[in-house]
Amino acid sequence: YIPTKQEIEFQRTLLDRRQDWQWAYGVLAAYGLRPHELFFCRISPNPPYILKVLKGKTGTREVYPYHPQWVTEWELHRAKLPPATGKTFKDYGNRVN
């Protein structure tokens, strides 16, 4: 099952008390990242808001947003990482899940 754009937007509102996790959810939704990659990425501050994965299971890569308007609406280019630690990518992924 793939949620609709409206369902994704609604689910994000449920995290309104946690801007850090709201940012993380938004990045995962807008760019389709693996959960651990959000801790190892950088988003360009200007359109087209290319995200660069700096470390990950498949190495570095650049990703364009599926819904560019989410990047601006949700200010995803202004990183608000949730607090998480880990020794492996799996550890970071588990923190997200």
Side-chain angles (χ1 to χ4, degrees), residues 34-75:
R34 295 176 182 96
H36 72 275
E37 291 177 329
L38 70 93
F39 296 100
F40 306 100
C41 71
R42 185 174 307 137
I43 301 172
S44 66
N46 302 308
Y49 301 112
I50 299 168
L51 180 144
K52 183 164 187 171
V53 176
L54 305 171
K55 290 196 300 187
K57 289 172 24 177
T58 57
T60 62
R61 62 188 169 98
E62 291 184 346
V63 184
Y64 286 82
Y66 294 118
H67 295 286
Q69 70 274 16
W70 286 348
V71 180
T72 53
E73 287 175 25
W74 300 341
E75 297 185 344

Side-chain angles (χ1 to χ4, degrees), residues 5-93:
K5 182 178 178 227
Q6 293 77 21
E7 290 171 319
I8 292 168
E9 290 169 344
F10 173 75
Q11 291 298 319
R12 186 181 170 277
T13 66
L14 300 177
L15 300 167
D16 66 344
R17 295 177 190 230
R18 291 295 308 267
Q19 287 187 348
D20 50 356
W21 284 108
Q22 203 172 44
W23 176 85
Y25 179 91
V27 170
L28 294 176
Y31 290 94
L33 297 185
R34 295 176 182 96
H36 72 275
E37 291 177 329
L38 70 93
F39 296 100
F40 306 100
C41 71
R42 185 174 307 137
I43 301 172
S44 66
N46 302 308
Y49 301 112
I50 299 168
L51 180 144
K52 183 164 187 171
V53 176
L54 305 171
K55 290 196 300 187
K57 289 172 24 177
T58 57
T60 62
R61 62 188 169 98
E62 291 184 346
V63 184
Y64 286 82
Y66 294 118
H67 295 286
Q69 70 274 16
W70 286 348
V71 180
T72 53
E73 287 175 25
W74 300 341
E75 297 185 344
L76 299 179
H77 55 290
R78 301 175 200 266
K80 299 173 191 133
L81 276 171
T85 58
K87 293 182 180 181
T88 66
F89 295 139
K90 184 177 180 179
D91 290 341
Y92 281 98

